[in-house]
Each structure stands twice: as C-alpha cells, then as structure tokens.
Amino acid sequence: MLNGFYRGLAGRVSGGDTTDLLAGLRPEDGSMPLPVLTIDEAAFDRNADVMFGYAKALGVSLAPHAKTPMSPELSQRLIDRGAWGLSVANLQQASVLLDAGFQRLLIANQIGGRAAGRHFGALLKRHPDAELMFFVDSIASLDAVDEAAAVAGWTLPVLVEVGRGRAGARDLDAVSAIIAHAASLALVSLAGVATYEGAVAQADAAATRKAIADLDRLALDAFAAVRAAAPDVPLILTAGGSSFFDLVLEDLLPALKADGNAEFVLRSGAIYFHDHGVYQRALSALDMRFGFAPVTGLVASEAFVPAVKVWAEVLSRPEPGLVICGLGMRDVASDQDLPLPLALYRDGAEIAERPGQVTKLNDQHAFLRVDPQSDIAVGDVIAFGISHPCTCFDRWRILFGRNPDGAIVAAYPTHFG
C-alpha cells in the first residue's frame, strides 16, 4: 500500500495500484523526478538463478537475509524459487515479514534482554503459525528468548551463536554454559549452531582465511556439543554472507553431511543484487580461490551481475572540470565506496560511458571531476553504480523495477521503519 509523495513519482499516490503512474516512465529521459533507485529485473532473476543453482549443487538451503531490501515482494520471489526461509535482524524486520505472510524466519542477531523477549513474545502471539529460530550467545540472551516463549505460550528453538569480532560465544566453555542452561528451561529447545564469518574478515586474504578457519573450528566444536545434548533432533548449522560463503561451506559442510540429521542454511542476502564495488571485489577474490567454478562451472564475478543503479540529474557545472549532480548521502551508499558514474544520458539517449569520477558527497550533492573539454550540461542524466546495497536501499521508500528495455514496470515499497 502506497500513500503520499515518493521520489521518482511526479504525483501523489493513493492506494496500492501504481500501474498507471508507472506507464512510460524511464529515469534517463526526464519522465521521472530524480534521483531514483532502480533494480534491473532480469539481473535480479539471473543472480537468483545462479545462487540457487549453487546451493542445489551442494545440497544446502538458503535463508536470504531480508534486511538488504526489506521488500516483501522481492523476498517472495526468492521464497517462490525454493528458499528455506528468510533471515532478519530485529523485531521490526520480523514484524514486517510476518505481517506479509512469511512464516519461517531466522532471527540472525541477538535480540537484547527480557524486555525485548516480551516484545517478541507479543509478536508471536499475533502469529501463532510462525516458525522463528533465535540466535543466543549467552545465558542472558537465552533468558530473553525464554521470556518470549513464556509470553507466546509455546517452546521456541534457539541456535547457539559462536563468533569473533562481533556477537557470539567466544569459546567452548561459553557454549557449554548455554547448553546447560537451556536444559533447565522448559520453553526453549536447542536447534543448532549459527555463526557469521564476515565479522572476522581482514585486509589480508591469508589472515582472513585463517580467521574464518578458526571460527569454523569453534562452530564445529559447538555443533558437536549441541548434538551431544540433543542426539536425535534435526539440527541447523547456519553461516554465510555474500563474500566468503564458499569458505564456510568448505570448512563445515563435510561434518554436517557426516552427521546425517542436519541442514546447512546459507544467509547470503546482498548477492541477489550484487554491486559495482565491494561485492564485485569479493566475487573476484572468490574466483581467485576457485570457490565457485568447480561447483557450477561458472565464473562468479561474471555470472552475478549488478542489478542496482541510482539515477541523478546534472544540477550545475560551475567549473569546466566540476559537475554537481543531485545525488548525495541521503540517496546512495558511501560506507564502502563512492558511487561510480556508469553512463551519461541526454534526452533519453546514452551519449557517453564513465563520464567522470565522484570525489565526495554532501547530503544532496555529488561532486564529479570530469574532462574539462566534455560537453556535460545541466539537465543531463547520469546512471551511477553502487557499492554495498544493504546501506543504499534503506534510503528509499520505493525501489523501481526496470525491464530489459529500460522501462519501469514495478514499484517495490520498502519497510525499514
């Protein structure tokens, strides 16, 4: 349901049907107020096909992290492809997806204390068919889930989270304490182990590999301890962002298959959108360590394609070598890299590739250094690639879907709270 004024739409939206408003819109030809963010529908589908093919070849399941787009419609497309479930990070995200009709969620984060547990319990009471699994890394976080279970009125499954650098039990003694405490709680059940390898990544590839291997050894030790405490229970082992998922599978999957009563769940989320920056570099590194082609026959850095662009208008050319665009920190991610100018358009036609370089962003302005001899002019439109979609989507209340010929064909509301 859309009500109000939105970037990219010239008029006020009332109700949920945007079909008439979208007809004939293209960001490059002046028919849309800029800036806007678009998703290439074909690229999104291609990336999903590649990732689901990889998972199928290895016999693992996917619970894409829905925090990336916070779009129920885009999440549903991944569920329709066969995703095991979805991952979320907090109460608000869980509420959005449960209200949208999704049922199986990994709460891939610590939820807080007992007050947070009561809030989750109240949410579950409104959704009695929901299947939520909670990460716990301490006795306190386990007690918070127990509080949620008491409010909801039924037993809740927990995954013991181990970690380095961020949340997660740091050693086997902490894991053992969590397991022992879980045995004393009537409304909590052990369901497996969780970890996140991205938190230990370093600038040096060899140091990153060692850190992930150390973390994965702890995850396997934790899994063995949970298995000993729950010998007949089907368990979950979950890990995997969008950069190092091959390494955790290399380390963890053989032991999981040997167990025979467990499922591996990858939580990669940004991979379906990809980018022109941090994830492009990550997939190039994945190819260098031969982490994808042996499974799929595909080169990852070529098989996945960037699906996201942000479009902005040239506002000013105050100096021959400087262009100011209507695109700033309120519109585009800049935590990993500055946006990358991809193409210049005039009256809907592409007239140049890579028209300049962004050197800095203000709230509403991008500063581009350009060839002083170029003819870039006020009113021209530039398409920008992004780096790190997770911190770009949350600036937008609508993500616009483009078909292969460039026309806007869909409007996906986001729900970041």
Side-chain angles (χ1 to χ4, degrees):
M1 179 67 69
L2 297 174
N3 287 285
F5 289 95
Y6 296 87
R7 284 181 290 178
L9 297 175
R12 184 178 181 85
V13 180
S14 296
D17 188 1
T18 59
T19 304
D20 291 341
L21 285 172
L22 300 180
L25 295 185
R26 295 172 181 271
E28 67 270 33
D29 67 2
S31 58
M32 303 180 76
L34 302 181
V36 297
L37 183 150
T38 63
I39 293 173
D40 183 324
E41 299 269 349
F44 177 85
D45 288 338
R46 171 176 167 172
N47 294 340
D49 287 343
V50 172
M51 193 62 186
F52 276 81
Y54 175 82
K56 182 178 180 180
L58 290 173
V60 301
S61 297
L62 297 173
H65 213 317
K67 73 175 175 63
T68 300
M70 279 310 294
S71 164
E73 290 84 357
L74 292 172
S75 294
Q76 185 63 54
R77 285 165 65 168
L78 299 177
I79 291 292
D80 291 343
R81 272 185 161 79
W84 174 90
L86 297 168
S87 299
V88 296
N90 56 36
L91 178 76
Q92 182 266 341
Q93 294 173 11
S95 178
V96 167
L97 294 181
L98 292 176
D99 287 345
F102 299 96
Q103 293 187 327
R104 180 183 284 170
L105 304 179
L106 291 178
I107 310 301
N109 196 7
Q110 302 302 309
I111 66 169
R114 288 187 176 274
R118 290 192 289 274
H119 292 306
F120 264 102
L123 175 64
L124 285 165
K125 286 189 75 171
R126 301 199 305 270
H127 298 278
D129 295 327
E131 301 177 45
L132 270 60
M133 292 187 178
F134 293 83
F135 286 18
V136 296
D137 69 352
S138 65
I139 289 174
S141 60
L142 190 57
D143 285 339
V145 177
D146 184 57
E147 188 78 20
V151 173
W154 64 83
T155 301
L156 296 176
V158 297
L159 303 173
V160 180
E161 182 184 11
V162 298
R164 301 269 194 268
R166 200 166 72 181
R170 293 302 199 253
D171 53 44
L172 198 54
D173 287 342
V175 170
S176 298
I178 294 168
I179 293 172
H181 190 58
S184 70
L185 301 175
L187 292 178
V188 169
S189 63
L190 291 170
V193 171
T195 191
Y196 174 57
E197 72 287 351
V200 303
Q202 302 176 38
D204 178 73
T208 294
R209 184 65 187 102
K210 181 181 184 303
I212 291 175
D214 290 344
L215 176 61
D216 288 343
R217 278 192 290 273
L218 177 58
L220 288 176
D221 289 343
F223 184 84
V226 172
R227 173 54 77 204
D232 302 316
V233 175
L235 297 180
I236 296 292
L237 181 55
T238 177
S242 295
S243 297
F244 306 105
F245 52 86
D246 62 313
L247 297 180
V248 295
L249 287 170
E250 177 184 329
D251 292 344
L252 302 177
L253 195 55
L256 206 70
K257 290 185 174 180
D259 177 88
N261 191 25
E263 189 165 11
F264 196 101
V265 179
L266 279 176
R267 305 193 304 275
S268 315
I271 195 77
Y272 304 100
F273 304 95
H274 196 34
D275 68 9
H276 287 89
V278 60
Y279 287 117
Q280 183 60 38
R281 295 191 294 273
L283 291 187
S284 295
L286 188 155
D287 288 328
M288 291 182 65
R289 58 182 184 258
F290 302 102
F292 202 79
V295 177
T296 64
L298 301 172
V299 177
S301 57
E302 298 174 357
F304 292 98
V305 292
V308 182
K309 291 179 182 175
V310 181
W311 303 76
E313 189 172 4
V314 174
L315 305 182
S316 174
R317 190 170 181 178
E319 304 167 12
L322 177 64
V323 163
I324 306 297
C325 282
L327 176 77
M329 291 182 287
R330 295 188 177 187
D331 310 302
V332 69
S334 57
D335 59 315
Q336 297 289 337
D337 302 280
L338 292 169
L340 176 67
L342 299 174
L344 178 72
Y345 295 82
R346 181 173 297 159
D347 300 324
E350 182 178 340
I351 61 172
E353 293 184 351
R354 302 295 172 97
Q357 180 181 359
V358 177
T359 58
K360 70 175 180 177
L361 297 174
N362 290 162
D363 287 356
Q364 313 280 181
H365 301 94
F367 294 68
L368 275 71
R369 284 295 168 187
V370 300
D371 181 349
Q373 304 305 313
S374 70
D375 68 344
I376 299 175
V378 171
D380 288 346
V381 174
I382 298 179
F384 293 85
I386 68 161
S387 182
H388 198 194
C390 299
T391 57
C392 188
F393 289 162
D394 62 355
R395 290 158 167 77
W396 297 88
R397 294 175 68 190
I398 296 181
L399 312 176
F400 290 97
R402 298 178 88 213
N403 70 10
D405 73 2
I408 300 297
V409 294
Y412 302 111
T414 63
H415 302 266
F416 288 99

